[in-house]
Amino acid sequence: MNMNESVTILVAAVLTLAMGNLHAAGKAVPQAPNGPPVGALPIRAILTSPPNVPPPTHRSRPAKVIVELEVREIEKEISEGVRYTFWTFGGTTPGSFIRVREGDTVEFHLKNHPDNKMPHNIDLHGVVGPGGGAASSFTAPGHESQFTFKALHQGIYVYHCATSPVGMHIANGMYGLMLVEPPGGLAPVDHEYYIMQGDFYTVGKYREKGAQAFDMQKAIDEKPTYVLFNGSEGALVGDNALTAKVGDKVRLFIGNGGPNLVSSFHMIGEIFDKVWFEGGTRYQEDVQTTLIPAGGAAIAEFHTVVPGSFVMVDHSIFRAFNKGALAILRVNGPEDKTVYSGKEDDSIYLGDKTQSLAVVSEAQTSTEHGTLSLQQQVKAGEALFTGTCSVCHQSNGQGIEGVFPPLAGSDLLAKTPKRAISIALNGLTGPLMVNGKTYNSVMPPMSQLNDDEIANILTFVIHSWGNTGSDAFTAAEVAAVRKGTARPPGAAE
């Protein structure tokens, strides 16, 4: 045996001993990411609907993983009382969360439900190959396509439909996330959540009730009607809010399906400990707001310190409060006055998200059937008033001395109730006498509200707090005033 052979044998023995020690210690043995799967039987991937995330793979070696994903075209609510036909991966927008490990060989099955009307495919940004799988997965309704890829790069990756017209398929909700875990897995946390932003384009204006169609021209002009987390205004608020306890560590997988807008993702009242920006392997620490491009993703981690409702927004802020990009994490547990002391007032940030808007939807349904009652309209108006008017006029209608006039027991409303329509639509600036006192402030035009929303709010006001309760306001009356008066400069059309 020569010297080179002896060295080779010695190195091999040392490596074998080291690998054995790793196995004995229960630690993962590194595997070549482009090596073959280990184990005879394939693993069927667990897919979850948002905001849920599949459990960690807990595998030290690459495997063959089978992913089965079905495309469904489904009409669902995009906002209370507003229906939209979503094109989905797995029946939800965003689509099912896919979790694999670096080095896995993924056998992908794309099924197009026979009731669908359109062909679809899938482009996974985590795939190395032409079209990210799109060229191999074009599937007609009632058919299934299959292709295989190797997960070569760890990270969090967007997937989306890439069938022409690509923008339309994405705008209808065809996107999701795939996590490729590093070989050693991710550090354990108490909660993992899945959030994905998207911009939507409807023929009707924001919150216009009924079934809404896709508006191609708005999409081309990049003027979305809605900007949403997880496909609807109610997806992550109210009873659907995310939850945690004080002291928990939380990991968010955040994607942006686009198709057009860049997201400025921010959590009000929290600071991210770490953000893996652009979904890669590098992270930034102590982050307030992170940019997520259309077709991009990020991983954000933080720990909870105090209880309360923590609001997540796109900090291009009109998108949050006027287009819907708002979610809530509700943290329960003991207070820590050394960290934060003061009253919590959700209404300032959450507006009408503090309560269910189901009463608004019920009122709209009754309107469509010609059975709308005064009580239904008052309840719908109360819900809308809470998010639109209560900060200035107060929840009890008393207003603020010298600034915002009271709505409770208002002689102005008693004398000229229908004038309220013009004030709501066009605003009012300067001194105003109500109940013998002068108030001087600015009432901005609220013309961004729909006709039925203004009618419901005013009906609630005129039947509350000691007001005389004239006839209910109607959407037709509001529409007539809107049509018959010019909007002030800068008011929403």
Side-chain angles (χ1 to χ4, degrees):
M1 182 182 299
N2 60 34
M3 181 64 70
N4 290 338
E5 290 173 330
S6 299
V7 170
T8 301
I9 292 173
L10 179 60
V11 169
V14 171
L15 287 174
T16 300
L17 179 61
M19 298 290 271
N21 289 338
L22 283 172
H23 279 298
K27 296 181 179 179
V29 179
Q31 301 289 322
N34 58 350
V38 177
L41 296 177
I43 296 170
R44 199 165 294 274
I46 299 172
L47 306 182
T48 56
S49 299
N52 300 312
V53 177
T57 62
H58 292 306
R59 286 189 282 106
S60 61
R61 299 180 179 184
K64 181 177 181 179
V65 179
I66 297 174
V67 174
E68 294 183 302
L69 193 57
E70 184 180 52
V71 175
R72 296 295 303 270
E73 299 168 4
I74 304 174
E75 184 182 274
K76 297 189 294 183
E77 279 198 339
I78 194 169
S79 183
E80 285 287 351
V82 186
R83 299 185 302 279
Y84 187 77
T85 299
F86 292 85
W87 299 349
T88 74
F89 290 107
T92 60
T93 295
S96 303
F97 195 102
I98 304 168
R99 190 168 194 158
V100 298
R101 178 195 181 279
E102 182 181 353
D104 283 350
T105 297
V106 181
E107 181 182 297
F108 202 99
H109 298 253
L110 186 69
K111 303 175 182 180
N112 195 345
H113 193 276
D115 291 343
N116 293 343
K117 296 177 173 59
M118 297 289 293
H120 300 283
N121 64 3
I122 190 166
D123 168 4
L124 299 113
H125 289 189
V127 168
V128 176
S136 304
S137 60
F138 183 81
T139 311
H143 292 262
E144 176 181 341
S145 298
Q146 176 183 331
F147 65 99
T148 301
F149 67 90
K150 174 74 75 172
L152 296 176
H153 298 272
Q154 63 180 272
I156 184 74
Y157 295 97
V158 169
Y159 66 79
H160 61 84
C161 187
T163 300
S164 182
V166 178
M168 181 179 181
H169 283 249
I170 297 175
N172 282 335
M174 296 198 76
Y175 47 76
L177 290 181
M178 179 178 72
L179 174 66
V180 181
E181 290 183 357
L186 298 175
V189 294
D190 297 295
H191 301 279
E192 291 183 326
Y193 289 119
Y194 171 25
I195 301 173
M196 203 160 183
Q197 181 171 317
D199 31 292
F200 295 86
Y201 305 81
T202 63
V203 172
K205 67 183 294 187
Y206 176 62
R207 287 185 174 177
E208 185 172 327
K209 302 300 186 286
Q212 294 296 326
F214 170 73
D215 190 318
M216 177 63 86
Q217 192 57 53
K218 281 185 182 177
I220 292 171
D221 294 339
E222 301 185 10
K223 294 181 178 179
T225 317
Y226 296 88
V227 184
L228 302 172
F229 296 137
N230 288 10
S232 79
E233 280 204 276
L236 295 171
V237 299
D239 293 340
N240 297 321
L242 305 180
T243 59
K245 300 188 299 295
V246 169
D248 282 351
K249 190 169 185 178
V250 181
R251 176 181 292 135
L252 301 179
F253 298 102
I254 313 160
N256 183 9
N260 289 321
L261 303 184
V262 173
S263 174
S264 302
F265 191 84
H266 174 76
M267 192 169 191
I268 300 170
E270 263 293 356
I271 298 169
F272 300 128
D273 298 326
K274 295 179 180 178
V275 173
W276 283 261
F277 50 91
E278 298 182 356
T281 56
R282 303 294 181 90
Y283 62 81
Q284 175 68 287
E285 296 180 290
D286 301 325
V287 175
Q288 58 181 320
T289 303
T290 187
L291 284 172
I292 306 175
I299 302 174
E301 290 182 359
F302 60 95
H303 65 287
T304 59
V305 181
V306 295
S309 295
F310 294 84
V311 185
M312 291 166 276
V313 298
D314 181 337
H315 215 296
S316 296
I317 210 70
F318 276 98
R319 299 176 187 172
F321 300 112
N322 297 87
K323 292 182 182 288
L326 188 149
I328 299 170
L329 173 72
R330 199 162 283 133
V331 179
N332 296 312
E335 294 184 345
D336 186 345
K337 297 291 188 179
T338 65
V339 175
Y340 178 79
S341 176
K343 73 173 184 177
E344 179 186 347
D345 189 354
D346 285 350
S347 64
I348 292 175
Y349 271 119
L350 304 187
D352 56 24
K353 306 300 188 302
T354 58
Q355 58 184 310
S356 170
L357 291 181
V359 289
V360 178
S361 180
E362 291 167 9
Q364 177 60 28
T365 300
S366 295
T367 299
E368 293 172 356
H369 291 91
T371 59
L372 179 66
S373 68
L374 176 62
Q375 185 180 21
Q376 286 178 314
Q377 196 171 1
V378 168
K379 286 184 177 179
E382 182 179 15
L384 294 164
F385 178 92
T386 298
T388 308
C389 317
S390 63
V391 171
C392 294
H393 290 289
Q394 304 298 293
S395 58
N396 58 6
Q398 292 298 325
I400 298 176
E401 189 73 21
V403 184
F404 299 112
L407 301 177
S410 168
D411 59 359
L412 177 66
L413 288 174
K415 293 174 185 175
T416 55
K418 298 303 180 181
R419 184 187 174 194
I421 298 176
S422 178
I423 294 174
L425 278 173
N426 301 317
L428 189 65
T429 301
L432 183 69
M433 184 74 71
V434 178
N435 297 345
K437 294 183 179 180
T438 300
Y439 298 83
N440 193 352
S441 62
V442 175
M443 163 74 180
M446 303 303 289
S447 52
Q448 79 277 6
L449 297 175
N450 296 327
D451 296 336
D452 63 298
E453 291 176 325
I454 292 178
N456 290 342
I457 290 171
L458 295 179
T459 299
F460 161 69
V461 169
I462 207 69
H463 287 86
S464 303
W465 312 310
N467 289 318
T468 55
S470 66
D471 294 337
F473 290 81
T474 68
E477 289 176 320
V478 178
V481 174
R482 191 190 296 267
K483 184 178 180 179
T485 58
R487 300 282 73 73
E493 294 296 331

